[in-house]
Amino acid sequence: MRSWVPLAIVLVWGGVAIVAPLLPLDPDRIELSSILAGPSAHHWLGFDELGRSIGDRLIIGARTSFVVAVCVVSATLLVGSAIGIGAAYWGGWIDRFVVWAIDLVLAFPGLLLAIVLAGMLGPGIDNVVLALSCVGWVGYARLARAQVLMLKHREHVVAARALGATPTRIMWQHLLPLISAPLLVEASFGVAGVIVGEAGLSFLGLGVQPPSASWGSMIRDGTRYMLVAPHVVLAPGLALMLVVLAVNLLGDQLRDWLDVKTKTVIKA
Amino acid sequence: MMLYLLRRLAAVIPIMFGLACLVFFLLHLIPGDPVEVMLGEAAHPAEKEALRRALGLHLPLHTQLWHYVQGLVMFDFGTSIFSGRPILDILLERLPATIELGVAALAVAVMMAVPFGVLAAVRHKTVIDFGAMGFSLLGMSIPNFWLGPLLILIGAVWLGWFPVSGREGWRSLILPALTLGVSMAAILSRMVRSSLLEVIREDYIRTARAKGLAEWTVIVRHGLRTALLPVLTLLGLQLGALLSGAVITETIFAWPGIGSLTVEAIQRRDYPVVQAAVLWISFLYVVVNAFTDVLYAWLDPRVRTEESP
Amino acid sequence: MKVVNTRVWIVWLSVLGASVLVFGCRDVPSQSDAIRVGVTHVPDHFDPRDATDAISSRINRLLYDRLVDLDEHAQPVPALATWEQRTPLQYRFVLRAPRPTFHDGSPLTAWDVKATYESVLDPARLSPHRSTLELIRRIEVSRDDVIDFVLDHPDPLFPHYLVIGILPANLIARGHDFRRKPVGSGPFRLERWIDDTRVRLIRRSDGQRIDIVRVPDPTVRALKLLAGELDIVQNDLPPELVAYLAEDDRLRIMRHHGTNFSYLGFHLQDPVTGQREIRQAIAHAIDREGIIHFVLKDGARLANAVFPPEHWAGHPALNGYPYDPDRARALLTQAGYSPTRPVRITYKTSSDPFRLRLATILQQQLAAVGIDVAIHSHDWGTFYGDIKAGRFQMFSLAWVGVKTPDIFRYAFHSQSVPPHGANRGRLNDARVDALIEQAERAKTLQEKQAVYRTLQAVLLESLPYVPLWYEDHVAIVRREIVGYRLASDGNYDGLRSVRRRGITTRSLDRESTASEERHAIGTMRRQ
């Protein structure tokens, strides 16, 4: 695949997400007589289980999925790495506590946490972001911690400390640049998990509320009509795959691009 | 080595305690009441009160927690509010199915991921690499609730090779294990690939190559063994995800595992069952990971020195 | 490095070896001629004294016999016993011959009936059915087949309440665990539980096995029918899937008018939904016929009251609210709302896909007349808890299996606000209360019928619920399965006569033939 294609797909996705509200779309219009109707000249992708245009919903859904993906991945990446770096750098009881908390969250079924959040906060897109973030940060924290543990006895870090650099400065200037590559790559893989995870949460009543569309909920609803009207699940499914593919290839490209600097790190 | 093992296992105890408290409080935070679900609204308030007393739900929360933790120490999980059966029985009935599915999915994942990952790494930046990774991404982006019915349609209804759902004989295990294993294989094969790519650059591989050994011998004899080390840790983590995350797959295939038990119990607010099921899942997870860590340390002595503060 | 490499291989080989071991050693069960019925979940237990949900009571009907059955008009008809009202406070039930035997071989007597009802009334047992039966003062047995019920106060509906399965007295006395090991006199006995997902019943007359199989996912239930892994699936399938299956010539579709009442409920103390004009506007704004035709695929009929017209207490000719958006807009204007000042309502629903789909359609239809609806969906436990606590403006639910008119007190009387009943909308209407009490005091069924009809007309007018429809019962049966009948309340009694074509059944023994015949009579009477 040409190297610019993944970037182009992601940009189109983001672009559609931004301009979607301005387009002349009618994603919530219900036409009972065209329930599950197949593609037609005006509606290339056909209609869903409520007689709504799948094409229109796909575009609006791109926005929801984009927002959720960007919010969750950036929030978890920031919080998770900060916790991981801090824990590894300071060590001692802080580190033990963080490891304990990570193990706790990893071992705890995320589903239960999601139902509790739904019960306490009520459903909605912001709570989806919250629920996914509550579970998502541990991956980055683990990774960041492991990386820093390997790096903190390196000559340049020890030297910086000996020269009296503040912990913040050491973490920011000497550690973060070295571990950001694996973290970013991990984040690019996380995007797929978040989009699919959002669908799972709508399943529990925590997701986007009707009539809003998201790719995840479109796939989930479409699956129920797989036997009767396979076209319903196809469009959002392919869209999701394309985006996941693009984001991951982008992650690979990012890694290759950063590789010059990080080769020595990974070797350790 | 023994000391490391003991230390790692000792760490399990505070985690289990934290989990027990966490699940207890979370459950009591959510709205809903098992007594209402069980008796229905027709029952007299007095009867509801009596049942609440019989179940010990009228006590203050901290007292309930105390009783609960006391019970746990004695390995007493209580009885289900709804069926009235001892929870240990219910769990022991479901546990084999859960472990069976988990291990089978793991096997599917490993058998798919290792060849794919190796191929992709060896033929780095070729059509094979793109193909293998494309497949991996496909696996990552297909939700279980789509893949499951799709596999049933193809494997059970069209081809008729496997039963649609249920747990009867090894044939019925194939489709759910595939459903669960594919997404895991996707993640795993990427890990194998990148890990192998790193190893191939190492000096000793270059040495082996320089000695004139055949490329495949180098990869399999020298590269793969080292490359699979980090994959092992990921495997431990994934097995945990398999144990608790199989809910959707279990529901689709009507697989009598612990995941679907937990969801049903949550919906009916069968507190003791949820608490026990969550603890069991978590316990398995924690133990498997402790074991993986120890194994890792045994395989790669460098880890032990790294981890000691 | 050498050591490390060897160790890595040891680990990988043992992982694979373990997995081969785990699923290599499973025995494959032999093919069986059992008839398999797909359900969403299997009951937790089989004690009829504690059962409240639909699936439990349907299966308990197969395991146990009861004194009285309710026919299609919800009128009591003799099952185990015929009865006469000797005084307003005394009913005599006489067990019909031949009396059935329990699964353990002992005959069913009046003493068993007495013991069963006394254990239901035992406050220590906490039976959910106790409150309906509390009017029983004492139960007397004068002969092996005669039971007298003496009541506290007169209630012409008393025979309607005696539908609980009869358990053997000696086992009750011993504290037998009926929940796990049911012993009744019904046409089936429980052979075994196969984990929590399958229950195997044996028909006593001919040894036919019936497997009740849990298959939670509707698509998978349909696929299992197609693949021949299930023989019968009844209800709980999306209408589209039913239409899809109807086209397969290996399957047969059976339909029957249902009585399960779907409705929209409102909080009546709420400043918005408490206004009758708004509720009426909602009733006019909903295109119920369109939804029934396009979404339910004509698998339902319009409802105007809790009871359908054929119910003895049902109203034969109520005038409902036709689909009339203009009228809805006019009503809203009358209530002081306008497009610039729209009505805003929160609609709570469970996250069940069909309920959610319905909510989305209603949201759009209401938006068309100027009512702005926000949908909040929750998991069942949270949703149900919220509804009972009165944390809602509007919700949708269905009454399932309601047959006796005590539902009116339970759902609409001002004293039945939860936790005392199911008046979740907090209706407080003196006229409704008075009618409910008047009907309860009425001495004869005819008198009651008249009052209940008036009451339902009043309820339709004041509109604490917007009635939607009664969903049909649908059974999908494989063609090689014959003799299945669909009952009006969706019970599984058809399993008594079902068999697989081409399979000869074992020779009948005399005792169970008699019992089977009696069941056949009971079934015929209800047709």
Side-chain angles (χ1 to χ4, degrees), chain B residues 36 41-42 44-45 47 82 85 94 100 103 163-165 173 225 252 254 264 268-269 298-299, chain C residues 4-5 7 9 19 23 26 44 130-131 134 179-180 196 214 220 224 229 382 384 388 410 424:
Chain B
E36 297 277 358
E41 288 154 294
H44 280 206
E47 279 165 21
F82 283 84
R85 299 176 60 206
R94 299 265 186 151
E100 193 177 277
V103 172
V164 173
S165 74
L173 186 60
R225 301 179 196 184
I252 292 172
E264 286 158 31
R268 301 199 294 186
R269 305 290 187 261
W298 179 56
L299 293 171
Chain C
V4 173
N5 289 341
R7 286 176 176 181
W9 283 123
S19 51
F23 59 99
R26 295 281 307 283
D44 291 308
R130 185 172 145 240
S131 48
E134 254 182 342
R179 299 170 72 93
R180 297 299 294 174
D196 274 351
R214 185 185 78 114
V220 176
K224 270 180 103 76
E229 285 174 38
T382 310
Y384 200 48
K388 273 189 305 226
Y410 182 47
R424 300 154 184 151

Side-chain angles (χ1 to χ4, degrees), chain C residues 63-67 80 100 164-166 185-187 496 518-519:
Chain C
L63 298 172
Y64 301 93
D65 284 312
R66 59 237 137 249
L67 290 181
L80 275 178
I164 293 177
I166 302 299
S185 59
R496 290 167 167 179
R518 192 181 45 75
H519 285 296

Side-chain angles (χ1 to χ4, degrees), chain C residues 141-213:
Chain C
V141 174
S142 47
R143 248 175 38 208
D144 250 11
D145 56 351
V146 178
I147 317 106
D148 290 314
F149 288 90
V150 182
L151 308 185
D152 247 348
H153 54 265
D155 186 345
L157 292 180
F158 179 68
H160 293 241
Y161 306 146
L162 301 182
V163 290
I164 293 177
I166 302 299
L167 314 158
N170 58 338
L171 292 183
I172 293 176
R174 258 187 270 153
H176 179 80
D177 181 15
F178 287 100
R179 299 170 72 93
R180 297 299 294 174
K181 300 185 195 82
V183 178
S185 59
F188 288 85
R189 65 184 165 77
L190 179 77
E191 190 192 53
R192 64 185 184 122
W193 297 68
I194 306 161
D195 44 58
D196 274 351
T197 62
R198 212 142 41 107
V199 171
R200 172 164 289 177
L201 305 178
I202 300 262
R203 192 154 64 202
R204 294 168 75 193
S205 56
D206 59 357
Q208 172 69 50
R209 277 173 298 175
I210 307 271
D211 281 358
I212 310 284
V213 187

